[in-house]
């Protein structure tokens, strides 16, 4: 679903034109330009941004939110308290914050699918960005994707 379609299906429970958006996934996502571009499309309407404390996209989103002066909250997974249930509890907490939209970033397939099911159960629109490309790292290695051919260059 495109951003425009996602916005059209969202019934905002806040002041007019203000949105609460939750971002989920992207533990290893490293494409700074894609993160900034996605958040920049939402910045004028954002009232509250809900982020996870994951490295990767979580770190990039905090930096981007600070640069764009977007208010945000970080929802943590309490691994020491809840063990293997911590991620499931974090997903529920994000949904219980009643976001107007959830943005899904590239990440673990099972976690993304579980978040999609929670959102559909609560009629929360999803902006699915799981197909965004990862940024190339040094050499030919790329996190979360295929490696380019030796003759291929990133420029």
């Amino acid at each position: 679903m495109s951003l425009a379609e996602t916005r059209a299906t969202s019934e905002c429970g806040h002041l007019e034109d203000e949105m609460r958006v939750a971002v989920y996934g992207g533990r290893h996502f490293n494409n700074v330009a894609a993160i900034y571009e996605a958040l920049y499309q939402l910045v004028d309407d954002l009232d509250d941004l809900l982020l996870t404390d994951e490295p990767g996209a979580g770190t990039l989103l905090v930096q981007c939110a600070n640069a764009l002066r977007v208010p945000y909250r970080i929802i943590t997974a309490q691994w020491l308290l809840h063990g293997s249930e911590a991620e499931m509890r974090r997903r529920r907490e994000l949904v219980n914050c009643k976001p107007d939209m959830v943005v899904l970033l590239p990440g673990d397939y099972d976690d993304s699918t579980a978040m999609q099911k929670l959102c559909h159960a609560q009629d929360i629109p999803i902006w699915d960005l799981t197909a965004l490309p990862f940024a190339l790292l040094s050499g030919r290695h790329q996190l979360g994707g295929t490696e380019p051919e030796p003759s291929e260059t990133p420029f």
Side-chain angles (χ1 to χ4, degrees):
M1 184 179 290
S2 73
L3 177 58
E5 292 168 331
T6 304
R7 281 183 171 164
T9 60
S10 176
E11 294 180 14
C12 189
H14 311 289
L15 298 174
E16 190 174 326
D17 296 329
E18 292 185 350
M19 293 179 62
R20 175 177 294 147
V21 175
V23 181
Y24 185 78
R27 178 175 295 137
H28 301 291
F29 194 64
N30 63 349
N31 191 333
V32 177
I35 292 290
Y36 269 77
E37 183 177 342
L39 191 56
Y40 194 75
Q41 291 181 54
L42 297 171
V43 73
D44 290 335
D45 299 328
L46 275 176
D47 179 48
D48 192 13
L49 186 62
L50 305 168
L51 305 174
T52 61
D53 62 340
E54 299 288 350
T59 303
L60 295 175
L61 281 161
V62 166
Q63 293 169 355
C64 182
N66 284 329
L68 297 174
R69 298 186 178 174
V70 173
Y72 64 90
R73 290 185 285 160
I74 297 175
I75 309 296
T76 61
Q78 303 293 325
W79 294 102
L80 294 176
L81 287 174
H82 305 295
S84 61
E85 293 183 6
E87 189 61 35
M88 175 190 62
R89 287 173 175 260
R90 175 174 32 204
R91 282 192 296 270
R92 282 191 197 142
E93 187 174 349
L94 281 167
V95 169
N96 288 340
C97 287
K98 301 191 184 314
D100 298 303
M101 175 193 321
V102 170
V103 178
L104 283 179
L105 294 175
D108 183 75
Y109 176 79
D110 293 333
D111 287 340
S112 295
T113 302
M115 186 57 146
Q116 286 178 332
K117 288 179 182 178
L118 278 174
C119 290
H120 289 306
Q122 298 292 323
D123 292 324
I124 300 170
I126 297 170
W127 186 21
D128 189 349
L129 300 179
T130 55
L132 283 176
F134 283 73
L136 290 175
L137 299 176
S138 62
R140 293 187 348 255
H141 301 288
Q142 184 176 357
L143 275 177
T146 59
E147 291 188 10
E149 294 298 318
S151 62
E152 196 176 330
T153 64
F155 308 106

